[in-house]
């Protein structure tokens, strides 16, 4: 039966292929021993998670009764609520926690295995299939317990035009998604998530269609269902009929043709009609992405998100391994600059190798917690390893060092002192390194509002709009429930951005935008009008942005954008943006 689901379009294009359901519960969860005095607390934590999962199902039930909601939804919600309320599952977990003094996640998976094994014995095929529901209920509780997902099971993609593999998951962590780089994944959809979550960002960097925040995809879709993902419109079509399939195949071919045409711009100069040169840099996550940056003719790497080097492994990369990774990018870019951002771990980006470090508490508000530079300053030894590796790579090309999440003058000072210490250590060890420019990310409103120390102490700025929007509007960028309020055009955001660009330019300090706004061709004219001359984005977006630059008149845009920035009504801002 054909049906469609809607969510948030996070990465454009069309994928047509077979569903691959990703289940997290059966994948590894941490196992640790509790102290006797912590057992009761752990049972309490489990009870709370069960209650939260129950409340989630209740609100899903309310949505299922809305006219037009898929009929299957209400059925699955009821089954899931029944399973969750059944003591066979939950009492067993409590007992395991008490008897074995183990953590709730581990106990939950053990108990699930026990129950599921019993289901395998059933003669009745219908009952045997309910096993999947148990797994999904367990996943729901685990998600509450952990707030994160685990490594994806790998499945080899089949080949053939219609056999793109489309991953369907409740949620994917950035660590999960980055693994798609080594697999042939045609696209993915998730039930959770917001448009600038790192999962969405990785999807854009992979240039695969993706839709997040679908809510019901995982429970309604079966393995191997034929799917169409329209990543531009945020639509998923399940089991399409022949006509729809033909139409989407045609659209897919047209899009591919458009991409081919854009290739012609690779060698063109990135200049506006009135002769303003605009630098277009690439954002990368892994060293292998450097090649794509080069292929699209990027002026350099404007953001190397190094935290991805730390994910999906048990041991931290040591200084030599990091140095080799950074050097390979620097060498691939030749004489073009490579902006290496120091570890921005925390919030939605996790690395199990860092689990026992300072940031590894269950932070009450991870996005406001010990993330990025805060984590690095709390772990100076670990930070120094990275700083030395980056400095050593500077000997092989043009390196710029970028520090994320700065807000306080003393953080700048501490960071500069540690960089100095790293230089001293390298000199002692007779290691070579060259001069590097040191920049700060402007992604916390406080930084944009109090730029003085940044302008005095650093060499360049890079505006991280993803976090700047999140922190200005108090909208969790990973939370689909508030995604409709995540507004890059909010007047407060535009004001912070334009003030930062102007203040930097007043003292002739280079300033870039490296958040997702820089890669959105619909916003290129706005940013040019703000005075921005350095953009950094995924290589897959660079040529479309270049096309916009080549068609723009910077002087004219400056005057129009100055007027737009005086507005404070969202409709008027959108209207003026259209007119740009
Ligand atoms: C940003 O916040 O805009 C940014 C570029 O950093 P990240 O998306 O990695 O947080
Ligand atoms: Mg950021």
């Amino acid at each position: 039966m054909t049906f469609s689901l809607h969510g948030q379009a996070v990465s454009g294009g069309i994928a047509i292929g077979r569903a691959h359901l990703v289940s997290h519960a059966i994948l590894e969860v941490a196992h640790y021993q509790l102290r006797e005095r912590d057992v009761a607390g752990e049972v309490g934590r489990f009870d709370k998670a069960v209650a939260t999962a129950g409340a989630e199902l209740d609100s899903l039930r309310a949505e299922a009764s809305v006219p037009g909601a898929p009929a299957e939804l209400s059925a699955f919600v009821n089954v899931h609520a029944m399973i969750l309320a059944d003591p066979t599952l939950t009492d067993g977990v409590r007992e395991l926690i008490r008897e074995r003094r183990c953590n709730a996640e581990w106990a939950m998976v053990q108990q699930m295995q026990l129950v599921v094994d019993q289901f395998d014995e059933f003669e009745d095929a219908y009952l045997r299939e309910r096993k999947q529901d148990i797994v999904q209920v367990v996943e729901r509780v685990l998600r509450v317990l952990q707030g994160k997902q685990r490594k994806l099971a790998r499945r080899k993609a089949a080949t053939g035009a219609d056999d793109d593999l489309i991953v369907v998951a409740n949620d994917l962590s950035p660590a999960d998604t980055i693994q798609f780089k080594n697999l042939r994944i045609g696209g993915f959809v998730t039930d959770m998530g917001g448009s600038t979550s790192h999962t969405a960002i990785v999807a854009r960097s992979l240039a695969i269609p993706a839709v997040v925040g679908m809510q019901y995809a995982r429970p309604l879709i079966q393995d191997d269902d034929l799917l169409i993902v329209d990543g531009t419109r945020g639509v998923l079509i399940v089991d399409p009929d022949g006509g729809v399939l033909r139409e989407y195949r045609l659209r897919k071919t047209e899009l591919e043709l458009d991409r081919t045409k854009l290739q012609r711009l690779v060698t063109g100069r990135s200049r506006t009609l009135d002769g303003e040169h605009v630098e277009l840099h690439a954002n990368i996550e892994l060293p292998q992405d450097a090649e794509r940056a080069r292929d699209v003719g990027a002026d350099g790497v404007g953001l190397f998100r190094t935290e991805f080097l730390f994910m999906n492994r048990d041991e931290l990369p040591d200084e030599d391994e990091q140095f080799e990774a950074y050097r390979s990018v620097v060498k691939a870019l030749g004489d073009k600059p490579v902006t290496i951002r120091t570890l921005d771990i925390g919030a939605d980006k996790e690395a199990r190798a860092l689990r026992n470090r300072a940031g590894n508490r269950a932070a009450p508000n991870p996005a406001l917690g010990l993330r990025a530079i805060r984590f690095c300053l709390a772990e100076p030894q670990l930070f120094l390893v990275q700083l030395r590796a980056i400095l050593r790579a500077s000997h092989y090309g043009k390196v710029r060092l970028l520090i994320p999440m700065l807000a306080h003058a003393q953080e700048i000072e501490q960071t500069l002192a540690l960089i100095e210490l790293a230089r001293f250590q390298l000199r002692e060890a007779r290691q070579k390194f060259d001069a590097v420019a040191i920049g700060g990310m402007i992604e916390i409103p406080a930084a944009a509002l109090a730029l003085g120390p940044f302008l005095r102490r650093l060499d360049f700025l890079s505006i991280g709009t993803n976090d700047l929007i999140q922190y200005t509007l108090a909208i969790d960028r990973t939370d689909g429930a508030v995604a409709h309020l995540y507004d890059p055009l909010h007047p407060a955001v535009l004001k912070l951005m334009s003030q930062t660009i102007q203040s930097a330019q007043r003292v002739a300090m280079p300033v870039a935008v490296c958040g997702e706004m820089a890669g959105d061709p619909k916003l290129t004219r706005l940013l040019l009008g703000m005075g921005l001359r350095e953009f950094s984005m995924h290589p897959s977006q660079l040529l479309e942005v270049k096309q916009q630059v080549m068609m723009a008149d910077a002087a004219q845009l400056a005057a129009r954008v100055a007027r737009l920035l005086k507005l404070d009504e969202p409709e008027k801002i959108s209207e003026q943006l259209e007119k740009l």
Side-chain angles (χ1 to χ4, degrees):
M1 188 197 61
T2 303
F3 62 95
S4 59
L5 294 169
H6 296 250
Q8 285 205 57
V10 294
S11 180
I14 288 166
I16 302 173
R18 298 280 165 187
H20 171 49
L21 266 52
V22 171
S23 168
H24 296 293
I26 42 178
L27 304 168
E28 47 149 354
V29 295
H31 180 196
Y32 49 86
Q33 201 75 37
L34 303 169
R35 289 173 304 191
E36 191 55 50
R37 59 171 192 240
D38 292 331
V39 169
E42 188 71 0
V43 174
R45 187 169 79 89
F46 173 68
D47 288 341
K48 224 167 120 186
V50 171
T52 307
E56 283 179 7
L57 285 170
D58 284 345
S59 66
L60 269 181
R61 186 181 287 128
E63 289 183 44
S65 56
V66 171
E72 295 90 327
L73 183 60
S74 143
F76 103 75
V77 173
N78 287 335
V79 171
H80 284 200
M82 258 165 55
I83 294 171
L84 189 65
D86 189 335
T88 320
L89 188 64
T90 48
D91 276 355
V93 177
R94 291 184 192 99
E95 235 164 75
L96 278 170
I97 298 175
R98 288 191 191 106
E99 275 173 14
R100 303 215 192 148
R101 283 203 278 131
C102 63
N103 56 313
E105 293 90 342
W106 178 256
M108 179 103 230
V109 172
Q110 300 312 302
Q111 186 63 14
M112 176 192 78
Q113 212 55 58
L114 219 94
V115 178
V116 158
D117 287 348
Q118 290 168 7
F119 271 63
D120 276 337
E121 317 269 290
F122 290 142
E123 300 250 312
D124 183 325
Y126 173 82
L127 280 179
R128 270 203 313 272
E129 272 172 34
R130 300 281 63 77
K131 194 171 92 171
Q132 209 42 45
D133 290 307
I134 300 195
V135 173
Q136 287 177 10
V137 169
V138 169
E139 280 178 359
R140 187 175 286 282
V141 179
L142 281 178
R143 206 179 58 240
V144 180
L145 281 169
Q146 319 177 285
K148 62 191 169 198
Q149 274 67 46
R150 300 283 165 203
K151 204 172 174 179
L152 273 181
R154 292 188 173 201
R155 175 175 136 166
K156 233 184 139 30
T159 46
D162 261 3
D163 273 323
D164 265 351
L165 201 61
I166 296 178
V167 169
V168 180
N170 186 282
D171 198 6
L172 292 169
S173 68
D176 290 334
T177 317
I178 198 76
Q179 296 183 87
F180 293 172
K181 292 208 182 200
N182 302 319
L183 301 172
R184 275 197 60 229
I185 301 289
F188 71 80
V189 298
T190 65
D191 285 337
M192 314 285 288
S195 68
T196 55
S197 66
H198 286 91
T199 299
I201 287 172
V202 174
R204 281 193 280 274
S205 106
L206 295 169
I208 57 171
V211 185
V212 303
M214 305 230 69
Q215 301 199 55
Y216 323 118
R218 181 68 175 73
L220 294 181
I221 291 169
Q222 316 252 325
D223 255 325
D224 290 324
D225 276 352
L226 183 61
L227 302 178
I228 298 174
V229 182
D230 183 340
T232 311
R233 296 180 194 177
V235 179
L236 174 74
I237 302 171
V238 184
D239 205 8
D241 63 32
V244 173
L245 203 54
R246 268 193 301 281
E247 192 187 313
Y248 269 97
R249 284 216 184 101
L250 187 69
R251 284 247 291 278
K252 192 172 178 213
T253 314
E254 282 169 2
L255 284 176
E256 279 157 11
L257 264 176
D258 288 348
R259 290 235 146 255
T260 319
K261 281 188 204 147
L262 274 178
Q263 282 301 317
R264 293 190 200 134
L265 299 183
V266 169
T267 50
R269 290 169 81 179
S270 172
R271 280 224 318 227
T272 60
L273 291 173
D274 53 339
E276 286 280 324
H277 177 67
V278 178
E279 286 193 34
L280 301 178
H281 292 250
N283 290 357
I284 65 169
E285 279 84 36
L286 293 175
Q288 70 219 50
D289 302 337
E291 211 173 301
R292 287 187 55 228
R294 234 183 19 197
D295 289 348
V296 294
D299 293 311
V301 166
L303 172 64
F304 179 178
R305 289 183 163 99
T306 58
E307 52 277 8
F308 285 89
L309 291 175
F310 292 69
M311 290 179 189
N312 297 311
R313 50 190 295 163
D314 295 316
E315 303 291 332
L316 292 172
D318 64 14
E319 182 181 320
D320 282 340
E321 186 185 336
Q322 288 189 55
F323 161 63
E324 290 299 344
Y326 306 144
R327 180 171 66 169
S328 74
V329 176
V330 170
K331 283 183 129 179
L333 268 287
D335 57 356
K336 294 174 175 170
V338 176
T339 312
I340 305 179
R341 182 175 73 180
T342 58
L343 189 63
D344 180 5
I345 211 74
D348 62 334
K349 286 181 284 196
E350 294 194 54
R352 65 173 175 272
L354 292 166
R355 217 178 263 163
N356 297 320
R357 302 293 179 143
N360 180 50
R361 313 159 297 129
N365 266 311
L368 303 182
L370 206 58
R371 188 191 151 182
I373 190 61
R374 303 167 181 185
F375 173 82
C376 288
L377 292 176
E379 290 279 354
Q381 291 312 323
L382 192 145
F383 193 30
L384 280 165
V385 170
Q386 185 177 39
L387 291 174
R388 288 195 302 267
I390 296 172
L391 288 169
R392 283 170 60 193
S394 70
H395 186 59
Y396 298 85
K398 231 186 244 172
V399 169
R400 305 196 296 182
L401 217 163
L402 179 61
I403 314 296
M405 290 279 289
L406 289 166
H408 302 270
Q410 88 256 23
E411 287 170 337
I412 299 178
E413 296 308 325
Q414 285 166 10
T415 304
L416 292 175
L418 281 171
I419 295 170
E420 218 25 72
L421 177 57
R423 286 185 177 126
F424 173 78
Q425 290 173 337
L426 288 177
R427 267 184 231 114
E428 292 280 287
R430 299 193 184 284
Q431 295 274 15
K432 292 183 185 137
F433 61 93
D434 288 1
V436 299
I438 300 167
M441 289 200 61
I442 304 299
E443 50 184 348
I444 297 179
L449 291 168
L451 267 182
F454 291 79
L455 300 177
R456 284 192 292 276
R457 301 290 285 144
L458 299 174
D459 303 313
F460 68 96
L461 302 179
S462 191
I463 305 176
T465 51
N466 308 333
D467 279 313
L468 188 63
I469 299 168
Q470 152 163 279
Y471 296 124
T472 304
L473 303 179
I475 298 296
D476 184 337
R477 58 195 267 201
T478 66
D479 186 350
V482 286
H484 59 292
L485 296 171
Y486 186 95
D487 180 12
L489 296 178
H490 190 292
V493 173
L494 298 183
K495 217 162 271 174
L496 290 172
M497 289 178 70
S498 76
Q499 278 174 13
T500 303
I501 294 168
Q502 277 173 18
S503 307
Q505 286 174 346
R506 227 173 280 135
V507 294
M509 178 178 273
V511 56
V513 170
C514 65
E516 295 299 292
M517 281 178 83
D520 183 346
K522 291 193 290 301
L523 301 179
T524 308
R525 298 166 79 81
L526 173 70
L527 299 184
L528 285 172
M530 283 184 185
L532 188 73
R533 296 294 179 264
E534 189 180 328
F535 294 60
S536 193
M537 70 211 86
H538 302 299
S540 57
Q541 291 155 323
L542 194 136
L543 295 176
E544 253 187 284
V545 170
K546 191 180 209 176
Q547 191 175 31
Q548 291 297 320
V549 168
M550 290 163 103
M551 295 188 307
D553 181 322
Q556 199 180 62
L557 284 172
R560 290 189 186 166
V561 170
R563 285 198 294 276
L564 180 151
L565 290 172
K566 293 206 176 85
L567 303 172
D568 56 9
E569 290 174 59
E571 302 78 37
K572 294 225 167 98
I573 293 177
S574 305
E575 201 182 294
Q576 285 307 310
L577 183 70
E578 284 292 312
K579 287 190 187 154
L580 290 179

